[in-house]
Amino acid sequence: MELGGGAPGPGRPVLEQEGIQVLQQSVGWLLASYGWCILFGCVAVYLVVQKLAEKMRAQRRNRPNAAGAPLEPDVVVRQQEALAAARFRMQEELNEQAEKYKEKQRQLEEEKRRQKIAIWESMQEGKSYKGNLKLNQQEIESTASASSTVPKPKPNKKPLRGGYNPLSGEGGGTCAWRPGRRGGPSSSG
């Protein structure tokens, strides 16, 4: 049993025919009202898609190293050689800096060794080694920092109070320590 009674058309139910008619009327009305706008909109979308596709193709051509693009062997070899040369130059610079540092360290060690020998010799002769040490250090500083400023010698400082001992009670001052009496506990009589 069919809905809507008998079949008015050739082999189609009534509901289906009514749905097709409603669709035709609404599409016809839409095209009649906005047909030119829809047509221009479709043309504009088509042109925008074509422009974007063209730009994408140009970017792929300009960038041969993009993912999926085949790499040319000679280009790869040149890039690897340039990278190896840059690494070699950097390693050479690093080696030069290391040699300079080692040379400075050797010079410092040699100078320390000379100072120790000079101190030892002066001690063997019975001389003061501190005076020689200060002179040697001043000579080293003057030769090492010839380009920098000349260090000023420190003035000889006097002691704050000559011969002052707070425990002895001598040498002035208001405070003095005095030992207590030797006697035992006092007895009251």
Side-chain angles (χ1 to χ4, degrees):
M1 180 164 174
E2 294 181 347
L3 295 174
R12 291 188 178 170
V14 175
L15 245 130
E16 189 176 324
Q17 273 189 341
E18 287 178 8
I20 291 174
Q21 286 178 355
V22 169
L23 183 64
Q24 284 177 350
Q25 287 176 357
S26 62
V27 169
W29 177 81
L30 187 67
L31 287 176
S33 300
Y34 301 105
W36 289 109
C37 294
I38 293 173
L39 179 67
F40 288 136
C42 290
V43 169
V45 167
Y46 176 77
L47 292 175
V48 167
V49 168
Q50 290 298 321
K51 285 282 189 181
L52 290 175
E54 184 179 322
K55 285 184 181 181
M56 295 291 278
R57 278 186 241 121
Q59 284 181 350
R60 286 185 194 143
R61 275 186 244 124
N62 292 340
R63 219 177 3 147
N65 294 340
L71 297 175
E72 296 180 17
D74 57 340
V75 172
V76 173
V77 169
R78 273 189 257 133
Q79 287 176 350
Q80 289 178 349
E81 287 174 353
L83 185 62
R87 286 180 180 161
F88 183 74
R89 282 192 307 266
M90 289 170 53
Q91 186 64 43
E92 288 297 318
E93 290 175 7
L94 185 63
N95 289 343
E96 288 176 15
Q97 290 174 358
E99 285 297 321
K100 289 178 184 177
Y101 179 75
K102 285 180 183 178
E103 184 63 30
K104 284 183 181 180
Q105 290 298 328
R106 273 188 241 130
Q107 288 176 354
L108 288 175
E109 291 292 326
E110 181 68 23
E111 198 59 44
K112 286 181 183 178
R113 188 181 66 80
R114 287 180 188 159
Q115 284 181 356
K116 286 182 181 180
I117 291 172
I119 291 171
W120 178 255
E121 288 175 353
S122 66
M123 286 179 65
Q124 291 296 323
E125 294 174 3
K127 296 180 182 176
S128 171
Y129 69 90
K130 290 188 178 182
N132 291 339
L133 180 63
K134 288 181 182 177
L135 291 175
N136 289 341
Q137 284 179 351
Q138 287 177 355
E139 290 174 4
I140 292 168
E141 289 175 359
S142 65
T143 58
S145 61
S147 62
S148 62
T149 60
V150 177
K152 296 180 181 178
K154 294 183 179 179
N156 293 336
K157 294 183 179 179
K158 298 187 294 184
L160 294 176
R161 294 184 183 174
Y164 173 70
N165 186 358
L167 297 178
S168 67
E170 299 174 1
T174 58
C175 297
W177 179 80
R178 295 187 183 141
R181 293 191 298 182
R182 294 209 147 218
S186 62
S187 59
S188 57

